Amino acid sequence: MAMVTTDASATADAAIADATAKQPDAADKEYSSYNGASTAGGGAHRARGGGGVVDSVVARWRREDMLDKSPLALHAAAAAFAFVALVLLASNQHGDWMQFDRYQEYRYLLAIAALAFVYSLAQALRHARRMRGGADPASTPSWRIFDFVADQVVAYLLMSALSAATPITNRMRTAVVNNFTDATAAAISMAFLAFVALALAATLSGYKLSKQTYM
């Protein structure tokens, strides 16, 4: 009986010793697994961080490219709208009271539309030359100030002409609607679109001016 008890105790002690010997291996395995997962996670995080930097740089390039091309598009649009308004007014002559030159409001709108057309066309040609790699004679800070001021002045003149021509056109259209009143209404609409394009160009030139460094 004593022999059996001794053998059982010895077997139990051997099992405990064996289990104790295996525990460090398991702990090492768990630690290695945890450490590997952490390292992999850190690598993925760094990869995502690098991708974010690249995306931000690409987005900045695209934004700068858009800001560089926008003046050409806006001034070209303003020139096109002003030209259409100019043609509609100049050809709006149907005899008797339906002559645009009999009304000073329409003569004023015609003059401002012509000014907006010439100015916007000159600016569009200048930006087109710059986009093609030519020298820009108006790249100095003083010329950027001129762009900002000139865009605003021409836009305000267009709004002034629109404010003068719209009331008389509305009064005419309440009495009669014909080719004359339709043409004047269309000319006013085109002049308004030219104003919007120049107002946006003035906003953009103001933004560029605010980013200009003088150091």
Side-chain angles (χ1 to χ4, degrees):
M1 184 66 178
M3 182 67 68
V4 174
T5 303
T6 303
D7 293 340
S9 299
T11 303
D13 292 340
I16 292 172
D18 184 58
T20 303
K22 290 181 178 179
Q23 283 180 356
D25 295 337
D28 291 342
K29 183 177 181 181
E30 290 177 0
Y31 176 77
S32 299
S33 176
Y34 174 79
N35 191 31
S38 176
T39 304
H45 179 72
R46 287 192 297 270
R48 287 193 297 269
V53 171
V54 172
D55 291 341
S56 64
V57 171
V58 171
R60 180 179 178 182
W61 287 346
R62 289 177 179 175
R63 183 171 62 254
E64 291 178 351
D65 184 64
M66 182 187 68
L67 292 175
D68 190 51
K69 294 179 180 178
S70 293
L72 171 60
L74 290 173
H75 285 103
F81 291 135
F83 178 75
V84 174
L86 179 65
V87 171
L88 287 173
L89 281 174
S91 61
N92 199 15
Q93 301 185 35
H94 303 280
D96 197 14
W97 64 272
M98 295 181 293
Q99 295 282 121
F100 87 92
D101 53 0
R102 294 188 59 177
Y103 307 93
Q104 61 180 357
E105 295 88 352
Y106 295 150
R107 294 197 301 269
Y108 178 47
L109 179 59
L110 179 71
I112 299 303
L115 173 65
F117 168 67
V118 173
Y119 168 76
S120 299
L121 181 61
Q123 287 283 55
L125 292 176
R126 169 199 149 197
H127 289 298
R129 179 182 179 184
R130 178 178 57 82
M131 294 295 295
R132 294 179 61 181
D136 186 7
S139 60
T140 60
S142 59
W143 272 100
R144 289 192 176 94
I145 296 175
F146 169 80
D147 288 343
F148 175 62
V149 174
D151 286 343
Q152 286 195 94
V153 168
V154 178
Y156 285 137
L157 287 174
L158 277 173
M159 181 53 67
S160 174
L162 290 170
S163 300
T166 299
I168 187 174
T169 303
N170 289 336
R171 289 196 299 269
M172 287 182 180
R173 289 179 66 84
T174 57
V176 61
V177 177
N178 54 20
N179 291 337
F180 178 76
T181 57
D182 286 343
T184 53
I188 289 172
S189 299
M190 293 296 103
F192 176 75
L193 292 176
F195 160 76
V196 172
L198 284 175
L200 292 175
T203 303
L204 183 60
S205 59
Y207 173 78
K208 288 185 175 182
L209 185 62
S210 67
K211 298 294 183 181
Q212 177 67 39
T213 57
Y214 299 93
M215 298 299 294

